[in-house]
Every structure is written in C-alpha cells, then in structure tokens.
C-alpha cells in the first residue's frame, strides 16, 4: 500500500512539474523585460510631448558625476553660459554639487568676467552678422533691426548673383524676409519681435554651420516660394550701398508675405527659443532640428526649462526633441511583454485548475479507500450471539 501511494505522488509531481517550469520561465522573462516594456510604452505615450521627452532624456543621462564633468569642461572652454545651464539643471534634479564648483560657475558669469568677451562679440556680431553668443547676437540684431545687417547681406549676395559669381541664395532670401519682418516689427510696436530675432538666429545658424540638413532644405524650399530672387537682385544692383532706403524698399517688395506663413512660424519659434533660453541654446537646437516641427518642439522645451535648455540639448541630443527609437520597435516591446503576461496568466489559470482537479480526485480516492477499509473492518467484526430469555 505505501508503495502504491508513493507511486501516485510521484506521478502527480511529474504531471505538475512541466507546467510549473513553464510558468517559472515565463515569469522570469517578464521580470527581465518589464522595465524595458514599461519604458517603451511610456515613450510611445510621450512621443508628442517634447517636454516629457526632454525630461526622460535628462533622467537617463544626468548623474552627479556627469553634471560635475560637464560643468568642469564648460568652464575650461570658457563657456560660462553652458556651465550655468548645467548647474541649474543639476539643482532642479536635486543633485548636490560641490560649493567650490558652484562658486567658480558664479564667478565666471559675473559682469566683470563677461565684459571683455561681450564687447568683442558684440562688435563681431554687428559687423559680420555671425554671432557666437548672446552679445554677438545682440550686435547682429541691432544691425538687422536698423536695416544695416540685412542690407549688407542682401547687397553682398545679390551683387554676386548679378555678376554671375557664386552667391548664398539662402542668406539673400532670409535678408529679404528680415527686412519685411522688421517693417512689421515697427508697425506692430514690437509684436513681431520674436520673428525678427528668429530671422537673425536662423541666418546666423546657417552662416556658422549650426543648422540641421533637413531644416536647411525646408528653409531653402520655403524661400523659393516667398522671395522673388530676380527682383531682389535688381533691387541691390548698381549703387545700392549709396541708396540703402531705396534698396530696402526694393528688397521688401520682393517678399510675398502672403506665402510666408510656414517660414514666419519657423523664425518666430526660433526667436522664442532665443528669448527664453539664450542665443547658444537656439543655435544648438537649430543644429539638431530637421524641420519646423522640431523647432516648434524646441520652443516648448525652452518655454518650460529656460536657461536649463542648453544643458538638456547637450545631454539628450535629438532624443530631447523627438522619439529617436522606432515607434514600431517600442510597440513590439510593449506588445510582446503584454502577450507574455497574458500567456503567463493563462498558464497559471490552467495549472491551478489542473492541480485543483488532481487534489480533488486524490481526496475523493482517499475518502473512498477509507470508506472501503471501514466497511471491510466492519464486516470482519465478530457478531455477539443473542442468549434466549
């Protein structure tokens, strides 16, 4: 009898071993895949929210060591603005920085430390229209706002076109748009100022090679429908430098503002980034952008993060602007994890039902055996004879 019971238990264990092993394997796979699956699902949900994407990029990349290293590198390069951006970003993430390092950042950003650099940069931006920082863009904006900068660029490039030399049509087109937007800025008493600043930022980004290829293609394509290059070339031919007012009127007339809405939206967003996060953040962002939608996303990030934007772009790159991983890949991760979870639940349910049936069957057989033994024992009990009265 003990041998038969042992055999039944061994058979029950062997029948349940495989389902238990499968459930354990699936559960282990789920445990390993769940973090990636959850992250993938979160990215899919946030793909149209640039602020959340930027936060995710920072959460993955920013550590105390990274913050310290980036601040040290920025200070060594003389980039006080980037060092301050990283310090603000670290503090917003409750990352404790060395007080001595923070003191160095503060000292690098003082007015006295910036004065010499700012004066030189302002002059270079005013004369060349190729700014590298806020002071340089201030000089560029001053020149553009008072027409000098845009006429300078238009006359130079238009003159090259007129003589058959190689000219930068993108700079010429932006200069024409800048003149038209400048007129709108004066008329609206500054309401168009972000667009005016944005034209200068986009033009500077192109001149300094800080403009994404996709954004360059969009800008060039838009300008072809907005600016009559032949009319612009005629406006700056001959003695344009001696008659800047006449040249400016001719260049503005070459711009078809009724067709310029997509381009104006682009430069307005670029101007918002410059106003909220600074010139270098705007130039860094335009280098990452592949189209106007990216610049619009950048404007939202700058509006939310202000001076921290440049550090965010340095850490996250394009991942701070758009979903860089394929949406289908993320969907596959999430879907696979969900299917594995459903399969695991089905296996657990099946295993539970199977084990329950086995337990009930075993209990029923045990009760039957007990009843049989009791009946057998009762039948073997000797009967007591009844004595006659």
């Amino acid at each position: 009898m003990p041998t038969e019971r042992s055999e039944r238990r061994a058979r029950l264990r062997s029948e349940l071993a495989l389902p238990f092993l499968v459930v354990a394997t699936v559960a282990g796979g789920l445990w390993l895949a769940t973090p990636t699956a959850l992250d993938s699902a979160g990215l899919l949900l946030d793909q149209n929210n640039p602020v959340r994407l930027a936060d995710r990029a920072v959460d993955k990349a920013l550590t105390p060591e990274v913050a310290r290293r980036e601040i040290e590198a920025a200070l060594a390069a003389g980039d006080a603005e980037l060092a301050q951006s990283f310090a603000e970003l670290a503090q917003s993430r409750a990352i404790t920085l060395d007080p001595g390092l923070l003191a160095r950042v503060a000292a690098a950003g003082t007015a006295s430390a910036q004065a010499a650099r700012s004066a030189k940069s302002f002059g270079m931006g005013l004369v060349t229209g190729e700014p590298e920082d806020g002071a340089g863009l201030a000089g560029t904006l001053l020149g553009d706002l008072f027409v000098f900068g845009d006429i300078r660029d238009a006359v130079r490039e238009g003159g090259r076109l007129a003589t058959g030399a190689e000219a930068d049509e993108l700079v010429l087109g932006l200069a024409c748009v800048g003149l038209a937007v400048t007129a709108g800025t004066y008329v609206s008493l500054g309401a168009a100022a972000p667009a005016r600043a944005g034209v200068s930022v986009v033009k500077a980004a192109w001149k300094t090679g800080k403009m994404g290829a996709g954004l360059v293609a969009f800008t060039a394509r838009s300008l072809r429908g907005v600016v009559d290059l032949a009319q612009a070339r005629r406006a700056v031919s001959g003695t344009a430098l001696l008659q800047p007012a006449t040249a400016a009127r001719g260049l503005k007339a070459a711009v078809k503002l009724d067709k310029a809405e997509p381009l104006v939206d682009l430069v307005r967003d670029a101007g918002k980034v410059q106003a909220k996060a600074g010139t270098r953040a705007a130039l860094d962002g335009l280098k990452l952008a592949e189209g106007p939608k990216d610049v619009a996303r950048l404007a939202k990030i700058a509006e939310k993060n202000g001076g921290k934007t440049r550090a965010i772009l340095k850490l996250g790159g394009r991942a701070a602007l758009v979903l860089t991983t394929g949406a289908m890949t993320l969907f596959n991760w999430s879907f696979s994890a969900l299917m594995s979870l459903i399969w695991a639940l089905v296996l657990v349910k099946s295993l539970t039902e199977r084990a329950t049936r086995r337990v009930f069957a075993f209990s029923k057989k045990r009760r039957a055996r007990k009843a049989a033994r009791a009946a057998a024992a009762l039948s073997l009990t000797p009967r007591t004879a009844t004595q006659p009265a």
Side-chain angles (χ1 to χ4, degrees):
M1 198 59 143
T3 303
E4 184 182 350
R5 184 181 298 114
S6 300
E7 290 178 353
R8 283 198 300 269
R9 289 178 178 174
R11 188 166 57 253
L12 179 61
R13 283 195 298 268
S14 65
E15 290 176 351
L16 297 180
L18 181 59
F20 269 119
L21 179 61
V22 173
V23 170
T25 302
V26 173
L30 278 174
W31 182 77
L32 293 174
T34 293
T36 303
L38 290 176
D39 187 53
S40 298
L43 283 170
L44 284 173
L45 291 174
D46 293 335
Q47 62 180 314
N48 295 317
N49 188 333
V51 174
R52 285 290 304 140
L53 284 178
D55 286 342
R56 283 178 172 274
V58 171
D59 291 341
K60 289 181 179 180
L62 187 62
T63 64
E65 175 57 27
V66 169
R68 184 198 62 76
R69 185 177 68 243
E70 292 289 350
I71 292 173
E72 292 278 8
L75 290 175
D79 193 343
E81 182 183 328
L82 182 58
Q84 181 62 38
S85 182
F86 268 104
E88 291 180 13
L89 184 62
Q91 290 171 338
S92 71
R93 292 297 196 278
I95 293 177
T96 303
L97 297 172
D98 178 61
L101 184 61
L102 290 176
R104 289 171 56 198
V105 172
T110 58
S112 59
Q114 296 278 10
R117 292 195 300 269
S118 296
K120 180 180 178 181
S121 181
F122 182 90
M124 290 294 292
L126 178 63
V127 174
T128 67
E130 298 180 2
E132 287 290 341
D133 56 17
L137 185 66
T140 300
L141 282 173
L142 181 65
D144 289 349
L145 190 62
F146 287 97
V147 181
F148 159 74
D150 286 324
I151 289 184
R152 172 201 61 213
D153 293 335
V155 168
R156 181 179 64 241
E157 303 306 329
R160 290 173 179 171
L161 277 178
T163 59
E166 185 177 354
D168 193 330
E169 294 186 1
L170 193 145
V171 170
L172 173 59
L174 286 173
C176 294
V177 172
L179 287 167
V181 172
T182 299
T185 301
Y186 285 126
V187 170
S188 62
L189 300 178
R196 169 61 270 179
V199 172
S200 297
V201 169
V202 173
K203 191 164 58 170
W206 167 246
K207 288 181 179 180
T208 56
K210 296 179 177 178
M211 198 169 175
L215 191 58
V216 171
F218 168 82
T219 305
R221 186 169 59 250
S222 299
L223 285 171
R224 282 196 292 270
V226 170
V227 179
D228 185 339
L229 291 178
Q231 184 176 348
R233 185 170 61 249
R234 290 194 297 272
V236 295
S237 61
T239 58
L241 282 177
L242 301 177
Q243 298 176 314
T246 302
R249 285 195 297 271
L251 290 169
K252 283 186 289 184
V255 179
K256 303 166 185 167
L257 283 178
D258 57 318
K259 298 181 179 180
E261 185 175 353
L263 187 60
V264 171
D265 288 341
L266 167 66
V267 296
R268 184 182 294 115
D269 286 332
K272 289 178 181 177
V273 177
Q274 189 274 332
K276 295 291 184 179
T279 301
R280 289 194 174 184
L283 294 176
D284 290 348
L286 290 177
K287 190 172 184 179
L288 295 172
E290 289 297 325
K293 290 183 179 180
D294 288 352
V295 182
R297 288 169 172 266
L298 178 63
K300 292 180 180 179
I301 293 172
E303 185 176 4
K304 168 67 166 54
N305 294 284
K308 300 187 287 290
T309 302
R310 195 171 171 213
I312 291 172
L313 295 176
K314 180 76 162 48
L315 284 175
R318 272 190 61 76
L321 294 177
V322 295
L323 187 65
T324 53
T325 306
M328 184 56 66
T329 300
L330 297 176
F331 175 78
N332 286 339
W333 265 106
S334 304
F335 183 75
S336 298
L338 179 60
M339 290 298 99
S340 297
L341 177 60
I342 293 174
W343 187 33
L345 293 175
V346 170
L347 284 174
V348 169
K349 175 178 178 293
S350 175
L351 179 61
T352 303
E353 291 174 348
R354 190 171 183 177
T356 302
R357 285 196 299 267
R358 290 292 182 182
V359 169
F360 284 162
F362 181 77
S363 298
K364 185 176 180 181
K365 290 179 180 178
R366 188 172 57 181
R367 288 195 300 271
R369 287 195 299 271
K370 284 183 178 180
R373 286 197 297 268
L378 184 60
S379 65
L380 293 175
T381 301
R383 295 172 181 267
T384 303
T386 305
Q387 301 293 329

